[in-house]
Amino acid sequence: MKSAELFRSFPIRRLGGFDLIMSRSKSLSELSQDELKEFAIRLEADDYTFQRYHGIPQLRVWEALALHHYLDPAMLGLNRKGRLAELKRAAYKLLPSSVRLLNFVASVPPLLQDIDQGKLVCVKATDDLLQSFTTPERFKTYVANQRLGVYPQRASPRKSEAFDPASLPPELRDMWEGRELWKTIDQGGKVVPGRRSTEPDLVQFFVGRDYSLHQSEVLASILRPSYARHIGRPPKAG
């Protein structure tokens, strides 16, 4: 059965994550924290997701990686230029409520290196290695050989565990603490949206954590919310 016929054999469900984003004028970097959380929920792969991809003989590498992390490839939209960098910024902003998207984007660099070195058997797309094709069997072997550092577990909507910042790696813990400094008064913080004097100086915060000035500026830009009055723009994609 061809993939197009396979997709037609299943009922159409309501709009998902990227349809939600594309229906608005905002980019991912402009979404509020609540909107980003909704986006992350819609990215989660469910039984319908795996049913859609069951029996397909070939997958793009990024699709296989997304399914490995229990994300719905159709919602990621990685056939778009610059989407990976946008997803990475969104993943940092979602900490600590969700680490699934961050685990996915963090797996991309070693995956690309393994494709380039032939450690993952696939039909290479020279202009964009993430668009290379592989089979589910080959990707399963690749994962079984411990080529990926993260082995995720499927999320359970019925189970919610208390978050402990101390459980994060040092770099992620620093980013989480930096984002906490942006909490508004109604969120239990000190920031008054629109009042510059209440905004934290995250550059100095990260410099004080022994990051370089460039790294500190990039992290401060990533974590800066859309309502901030701080002059500057988020780092460019790529």
Side-chain angles (χ1 to χ4, degrees):
M1 181 183 292
K2 296 181 179 179
S3 58
E5 296 174 348
L6 180 66
F7 282 114
R8 282 198 296 268
S9 65
F10 295 109
I12 298 174
R13 64 174 179 177
R14 64 187 181 86
L15 296 181
F18 251 87
D19 301 290
L20 175 70
I21 301 304
M22 292 172 65
S23 66
R24 307 177 182 182
S25 59
K26 295 180 181 179
S27 66
L28 279 178
S29 59
E30 297 172 319
L31 296 181
S32 68
Q33 199 67 27
D34 287 340
E35 288 172 323
L36 277 173
K37 289 179 181 179
E38 182 181 2
F39 171 65
I41 291 172
R42 290 171 179 263
L43 279 177
E44 295 280 352
D46 55 19
D47 290 339
Y48 178 86
T49 305
F50 294 103
Q51 195 177 31
R52 287 194 343 257
Y53 284 89
H54 176 72
I56 294 181
Q58 285 189 323
L59 295 169
R60 288 186 175 86
V61 170
W62 68 266
E63 292 176 318
L65 182 63
L67 292 170
H68 174 68
H69 285 281
Y70 295 100
L71 296 176
D72 189 340
M75 301 300 115
L76 282 171
L78 274 183
N79 56 329
R80 304 166 183 271
K81 288 187 177 180
R83 183 59 68 185
L84 183 61
E86 191 177 4
L87 289 172
K88 184 181 295 185
R89 290 194 291 270
Y92 285 134
K93 290 184 177 181
L94 281 168
L95 291 175
S97 61
S98 174
V99 297
R100 190 172 297 278
L101 184 58
L102 183 60
N103 286 337
F104 170 78
V105 295
S107 297
V108 170
L111 177 69
L112 294 178
Q113 184 178 13
D114 285 347
I115 294 173
D116 190 53
Q117 295 177 355
K119 295 176 182 177
L120 170 59
V121 179
C122 59
V123 180
K124 291 184 182 180
T126 55
D127 55 333
D128 184 355
L129 290 179
L130 276 176
Q131 302 299 328
S132 302
F133 279 92
T134 188
T135 66
E137 292 77 15
R138 287 171 177 169
F139 197 83
K140 182 179 179 180
T141 300
Y142 168 77
V143 172
N145 288 336
Q146 299 185 352
R147 297 305 311 169
L148 291 179
V150 177
Y151 292 85
Q153 293 183 349
R154 190 169 184 178
S156 173
R158 300 179 182 178
K159 184 178 180 180
S160 178
E161 297 180 357
F163 171 72
D164 180 11
S167 65
L168 292 173
E171 294 82 2
L172 296 186
R173 186 167 62 248
D174 289 340
M175 285 186 284
W176 179 82
E177 291 178 359
R179 191 176 67 82
E180 287 291 285
L181 295 177
W182 271 110
K183 277 189 172 181
T184 59
I185 290 179
D186 61 342
Q187 295 172 329
K190 300 179 180 179
V191 177
V192 178
R195 186 178 298 176
R196 177 71 180 275
S197 61
T198 65
E199 297 181 357
D201 186 347
L202 288 195
V203 174
Q204 290 304 313
F205 170 80
F206 285 113
V207 168
R209 296 290 177 93
D210 295 327
Y211 291 85
S212 70
L213 179 60
H214 174 69
Q215 290 173 322
S216 299
E217 290 173 342
V218 171
L219 290 172
S221 182
I222 289 173
L223 297 175
R224 186 172 62 247
S226 58
Y227 59 77
R229 298 191 63 186
H230 184 74
I231 298 174
R233 296 180 178 179
K236 294 181 179 179

